[in-house]
Amino acid sequence: MDFDLTQDQRLMVESVGRLLADTYAFEQRKALLKTEQGWSPALWAQYAELGLLGLPIAEEHGGFGGGAVEVMLLMQEFGRHLVLEPYLATVVLGAGAIRLAGSPAQQGEILPAIAAGTTRLGFAHYERQARYDMTDVMTTATGAPGGGGFVLEGAKSVVLHGASADALVVSARTAGSRHEAAGLSLFLVDANAPGVTRRGYRLRDGTEAAEIALAAVKVPGHALVGEKDNALPVIERVVQAGIAATAGEVVGAMEAMQAMTLDYLKTRQQFGRPIGDNQALQHRAAEMMVALEQGRSMAMLASMMVDEPDAADRARNISMAKVGVGQSGRFVSQNAVQLHGGIGMTEEYAVGHFFRRVMVIEHMFGDTAYHLDRLADGVA
Amino acid sequence: MDLRFTPEELAFREEVRGFIRDNLPREIRERMRLGHPARKQDIVAWQRILNARGWAAYSWPQEWGGPGWTAVQKMIFLEENLAAPAPEVSSFNITMLGPVLIQFGTEEQKRRYLPRAANLDDWWCQGFSEPGSGSDLASLKTRAVKEGGHYVVNGQKIWTSTAHNADWCFLLVRTDPKAPKQQQGISFLLVDLRTPGVEVRPIISIDGSHHLNEVFFTDVRVPVENLVGEENRGWSVAKYLLGNERTGIARLGKSKERTRFALEKAREVNMNGKPLIEDRGFRTRVAQIEVDMKALEITQARVVSAYDKSQDGRPDPLSSVLKIKGTELLQGTSELLMDVGGPQAMPVWQQELAALTNEPALLPEWAVQATPAYLMLRAASIYGGTNEIQKNILNKAVLGL
């Protein structure tokens, strides 16, 4: 067992921390949110320069060759500053699918472009009727007339950073019926291809997402990512990587909320003394710390299980982490607002922004109830 | 970052597991599986078996008969012992008295008491709490006045676990009532409970058992050589004892073992005409417990791993997190098993007594035993520093409130 950071990991965390301290003060972030894009292309270029966009990408594809632990540590920094750039969508999810299943040609083309910051991806898997069910896919891909390609038809919902992505990794049924595990395939689709309609909006935390309609979208045969009819294992692993990455992000956000709350408890005066003198509030703060540490342990678990070869063991542990981090995040963020009182309810104050990021993350990739239910299936 | 045990640690776990499997008397294991608390003779017998293997004083340095294990090894040993399930080694002897004597005792005290404590030749108990001094321990009033070669002790201790089984007591007494701060003027004494003037009275707890006691001291003469550390400096001894490395404080092995046992029994009892194990609500409840156990397991590993690397050997404030979550799980899993027992868990019935007159089993013994275990474990969030005190510790030591 080893919980220490390596020299490289420490250096990365420190350099990212320094960059974000300079660029992601609350007022700077608020200004970014007001731009049309809602995030900073200039910072994206800086992430590329720092090697962050290639962090989990192999060195032969211009990346850093890091693993899920490095991604978790980076996401923790991102969570501490509520970073808005499409790292999760592009590097963790989109590039993750290409890394796991892409052909050598796809990998050679896409991954270096991601690492360089010139291509951004979206992961278009979940559909409106599916809620969190990974097999509930109604989008279809049928063989194009004349052979050698596919035609995609369907709709994808709440695709993270979908409106600004250059290309989308889209799941579709090439066989089987709704809810069937077999028969799913992944396609790399030009986001501006004819027939792709994207309606962008902001999520409650200010990040961007989109509803995407696919109407007779033609893609060539080499757009297929991985094995035809057998994409579910890849989708599962991409989602698991997303869970592990966002678990780190939630830990960073919890740390920030905890620090803000402690600061507030020590400075806010009522009845002539700091409100933190009240034991009721002290104990709540201690309970927040307990939740944060338990959540941190679960984020570590998730990142260390992402590459576990035993699929059942991996899925079970990552579900446990999703539940643990979800519950910790909810407890810490709700109490952070509560202990701040009225100011915690205002848009002008940072705590509510962290609160909403944690809330949005809890509703990605299966919420707490969904994963607890999966774990209940496995009780024996 | 790596969650896995090293091959050496895995081999060590196998070694411990194998030893317990081969040496734990079957009758003891079976009684404990059914939920009986370990009897005095079981605890003594098992600790002596462990001591013969060199493992009873698991946390002591080799110089004093300990195995010289790393914190990770200690954690593995404790977990395997609890999961067996086997009686726990006497915490009074091993994790409290032993380290205190090794740190503060004279050579003579170490030679005289440590080997006997390891082998449970002397059963020790802890004379700390008083009727007026619970969480506020430093307010204790039991007086010791030096008269020639003796301290004369007068006062009362309470909640003294296993005092009725004990031969000796380590005792906090006030030697200087005029000291400017109440933490000053306290001394740490070793008291032979057979000394005239010592009276042990039972306190029956809500589980119906005799575990707790009141201990009265009336003009009890304690030789001055039984002082540990300096006179009036006993508070630092007590703080050392309470803050000592607490690898096993979460007692996770027990929660895991009780959960496994509850699942086993959930196959035997019904819910709406089907085995309880098939009930969705039950399964979700177990899933939640398993999530909480997993989080605690990793948090514990973080604390233990940091302990092995730290040089100062000071307790990690995260130990308080282990205490809080560990006891919540002990309570949660005991509740789970009682609820599996359901109505059969409510009767007071001692099958062991009935068996003496050849009466057949009237009720499932595991179910009957689940309730006193549940009741007794309500104390888990009270003893060893209440969970509220643990939150105070976190506030002071980490959060700065």
Side-chain angles (χ1 to χ4, degrees):
Chain A
M1 288 184 316
D2 179 16
F3 298 92
D4 292 344
L5 302 191
T6 64
Q7 178 78 359
D8 283 352
Q9 289 169 341
R10 233 188 335 265
L11 287 174
M12 180 198 71
V13 166
E14 280 166 15
S15 67
V16 173
R18 270 195 306 273
L19 171 67
L20 297 178
D22 289 343
T23 52
Y24 254 102
F26 185 56
E27 293 304 320
Q28 290 167 301
R29 181 179 179 274
K30 267 203 325 213
L32 259 186
L33 276 172
K34 290 204 180 89
T35 63
E36 201 197 326
Q37 196 145 19
W39 54 274
S40 162
L43 269 175
W44 190 250
Q46 272 188 279
Y47 298 157
E49 245 169 74
L50 280 172
L52 304 179
L53 301 184
L55 190 59
I57 291 171
E59 286 172 33
E60 57 167 315
H61 294 126
F64 181 80
V69 171
E70 282 76 23
V71 172
M72 173 192 72
L73 294 170
L74 174 63
M75 293 300 280
Q76 211 167 307
E77 292 303 309
F78 282 178
R80 227 173 257 146
H81 296 88
L82 289 180
V83 162
L84 294 160
E85 283 69 42
Y87 194 88
L88 175 67
T90 295
V91 180
V92 178
L93 303 176
I98 304 295
R99 274 198 302 123
L100 285 165
S103 65
Q106 285 167 334
Q107 293 187 346
E109 188 195 331
I110 301 285
L111 296 178
I114 288 172
T118 52
T119 290
R120 293 186 312 276
L121 298 184
F123 184 63
H125 170 57
Y126 288 104
E127 301 180 2
R128 187 177 300 182
Q129 81 288 347
R131 223 161 157 265
Y132 300 122
D133 183 351
M134 276 191 275
T135 61
D136 189 351
V137 173
M138 292 170 77
T139 298
T140 55
T142 45
F150 297 90
V151 179
L152 274 58
E153 193 76 43
K156 298 289 175 179
S157 188
V158 197
V159 177
L160 304 175
H161 285 98
S164 63
D166 302 306
L168 303 166
V169 177
V170 178
S171 63
R173 281 215 168 273
T174 37
S177 56
R178 191 181 160 187
H179 301 299
E180 215 172 298
L184 295 176
S185 303
L186 288 173
F187 298 91
L188 186 60
V189 180
D190 179 349
N192 297 304
V196 177
T197 313
R198 297 184 281 171
R199 299 283 303 271
Y201 46 75
R202 297 286 176 91
L203 300 177
R204 277 286 160 189
D205 61 355
T207 60
E208 179 219 311
E211 298 297 294
I212 297 181
L214 305 152
V217 178
K218 292 191 188 68
V219 296
H222 60 76
L224 181 69
V225 178
E227 223 180 308
K228 187 165 165 281
D229 296 342
N230 194 24
L232 186 62
V234 179
I235 294 167
E236 281 174 346
R237 295 201 71 162
V238 169
V239 165
Q240 287 163 352
I243 290 173
T246 50
E249 196 178 344
V250 171
V251 169
M254 288 196 291
E255 285 174 342
M257 285 188 278
Q258 171 88 337
M260 252 180 270
T261 304
L262 287 174
D263 201 42
Y264 192 76
L265 290 174
K266 287 171 194 172
T267 49
R268 168 75 173 166
Q269 304 264 330
Q270 287 289 276
F271 303 106
R273 59 198 181 117
I275 59 172
D277 281 1
N278 295 293
Q279 197 180 42
L281 307 195
Q282 291 177 352
H283 280 194
R284 195 72 63 83
E287 287 154 14
M288 288 168 69
M289 182 198 154
V290 171
L292 165 57
E293 292 307 326
Q294 294 283 81
R296 189 195 305 281
S297 291
M298 285 310 224
M300 289 175 171
L301 175 70
S303 71
M304 284 182 263
M305 291 308 289
V306 162
D307 295 316
E308 165 63 40
D310 180 333
D313 197 30
R314 186 177 66 236
R316 193 176 120 76
N317 278 284
I318 287 182
S319 280
M320 287 210 236
K322 188 72 166 72
V323 171
V325 171
Q327 290 173 334
S328 288
R330 212 175 253 220
F331 184 83
V332 170
S333 54
Q334 288 179 347
N335 281 295
V337 169
Q338 176 68 24
L339 295 189
H340 275 90
I343 191 78
M345 288 299 297
T346 62
E347 187 66 17
E348 289 306 301
Y349 196 79
V351 76
H353 294 255
F354 285 97
F355 182 100
R356 282 173 291 166
R357 180 63 188 152
V358 170
M359 174 189 78
V360 165
I361 288 174
E362 198 192 335
H363 294 89
M364 286 177 193
F365 313 125
D367 62 8
T368 298
Y370 169 86
H371 284 280
L372 196 57
D373 199 55
R374 292 188 64 166
L375 290 168
D377 280 339
V379 165
Chain B
M1 214 178 272
D2 194 346
L3 271 181
R4 290 166 301 186
F5 289 106
T6 63
E8 293 76 28
E9 286 161 350
L10 289 174
F12 176 74
R13 186 186 286 281
E14 283 311 310
E15 183 190 353
V16 172
R17 192 175 290 177
F19 179 82
I20 295 174
R21 185 186 53 231
D22 297 342
N23 293 279
L24 177 64
R26 231 179 56 166
E27 188 218 5
I28 296 180
R29 177 175 180 275
E30 209 31 53
R31 286 190 86 255
M32 293 201 64
R33 254 175 66 79
L34 288 171
H36 292 281
R39 294 171 299 197
K40 180 179 183 181
Q41 68 261 37
D42 299 341
I43 297 169
V44 171
W46 181 233
Q47 185 157 330
R48 286 183 183 165
I49 293 169
L50 287 174
N51 196 40
R53 181 71 182 80
W55 289 356
Y58 68 92
S59 59
W60 300 1
Q62 275 169 311
E63 185 193 352
W64 292 106
W69 285 337
T70 64
V72 173
Q73 286 177 305
K74 291 177 215 170
M75 176 184 80
I76 291 171
F77 166 72
L78 290 174
E79 176 159 326
E80 288 300 322
N81 194 61
L82 281 166
E88 292 169 78
V89 297
S90 161
S91 57
F92 301 119
N93 287 32
I94 303 302
T95 57
M96 298 183 191
L97 179 76
V100 157
L101 287 185
I102 290 163
Q103 179 76 15
F104 297 96
T106 62
E107 284 305 302
E108 166 61 22
Q109 286 171 338
K110 292 178 199 177
R111 269 199 305 274
R112 175 163 173 202
Y113 297 111
L114 287 176
R116 294 180 58 81
N119 204 45
L120 210 43
D121 296 331
D122 297 326
W123 184 299
W124 286 83
C125 66
Q126 178 190 40
F128 280 20
S129 296
E130 296 183 5
S133 306
S135 292
D136 180 12
L137 184 57
S139 68
L140 60 92
K141 291 195 172 58
T142 295
R143 276 285 273 137
V145 179
K146 205 191 251 176
E147 282 181 14
H150 288 84
Y151 288 100
V152 179
V153 178
N154 280 285
Q156 182 197 347
K157 295 291 173 178
I158 196 167
W159 316 127
T160 320
S161 297
T162 73
H164 56 297
N165 289 331
D167 308 295
W168 284 81
C169 180
F170 47 89
L171 192 68
L172 287 181
V173 292
R174 189 160 299 283
T175 36
D176 180 6
K178 294 199 187 76
K181 282 180 70 185
Q182 63 177 11
Q183 282 82 359
Q184 297 162 353
I186 290 173
S187 299
F188 192 103
L189 295 181
L190 308 178
V191 181
D192 184 339
L193 289 175
R194 287 159 301 193
T195 315
V198 175
E199 188 196 346
V200 177
R201 290 185 202 159
I203 299 173
I204 303 303
S205 39
I206 56 174
D207 60 329
S209 78
H210 175 199
H211 182 75
L212 303 167
N213 301 275
E214 293 178 285
V215 185
F216 294 85
F217 297 86
T218 311
D219 294 329
V220 175
R221 295 177 71 80
V222 179
V224 289
E225 60 263 28
N226 288 13
L227 174 71
V228 177
E230 289 173 47
E231 189 180 89
N232 296 329
R233 301 290 297 273
W235 187 247
S236 38
V237 180
K239 261 183 26 188
Y240 177 82
L241 181 153
L242 295 169
N244 214 312
E245 182 229 334
R246 294 186 285 178
T247 310
I249 197 165
R251 296 172 79 214
L252 199 49
K254 185 176 171 77
S255 294
K256 286 183 181 174
E257 189 273 332
R258 287 291 86 183
T259 305
R260 274 200 306 273
F261 189 71
L263 282 171
E264 191 182 311
K265 294 299 160 192
R267 292 169 205 283
E268 297 172 13
V269 302
N270 284 331
M271 175 84 165
N272 295 327
K274 285 190 303 190
L276 177 61
I277 185 98
E278 291 173 23
D279 177 71
R280 197 73 198 163
F282 176 77
R283 297 177 75 84
T284 305
R285 182 176 172 188
V286 173
Q288 180 70 60
I289 286 174
E290 288 177 344
V291 167
D292 294 339
M293 286 198 295
K294 179 57 90 175
L296 185 59
E297 183 180 311
I298 298 166
T299 306
Q300 173 177 271
R302 286 166 53 201
V303 173
V304 166
S305 155
Y307 186 86
D308 268 343
K309 280 174 189 145
S310 79
Q311 297 304 310
D312 58 7
R314 280 193 326 188
D316 189 332
L318 270 182
S319 298
S320 291
V321 176
L322 302 185
K323 166 69 169 48
I324 293 168
K325 296 312 283 185
T327 52
E328 284 176 4
L329 275 168
L330 282 169
Q331 295 177 333
T333 52
S334 71
E335 250 175 295
L336 179 77
L337 184 62
M338 175 180 70
D339 292 347
V340 172
Q344 266 80 49
M346 293 300 107
V348 178
W349 173 253
Q350 284 182 288
Q351 185 56 40
E352 283 182 333
L353 291 184
L356 295 176
T357 54
N358 289 325
E359 270 189 71
L362 187 68
L363 293 154
E365 201 173 355
W366 66 268
V368 173
Q369 286 305 323
T371 300
Y374 159 77
L375 290 167
M376 192 61 199
L377 276 170
R378 297 318 298 169
S381 49
I382 300 170
Y383 58 58
T386 65
N387 286 13
E388 287 70 29
I389 287 287
Q390 302 300 329
K391 289 174 192 174
N392 290 353
I393 292 171
L394 288 176
N395 275 305
K396 245 177 98 175
V398 187
L399 305 179
L401 286 171

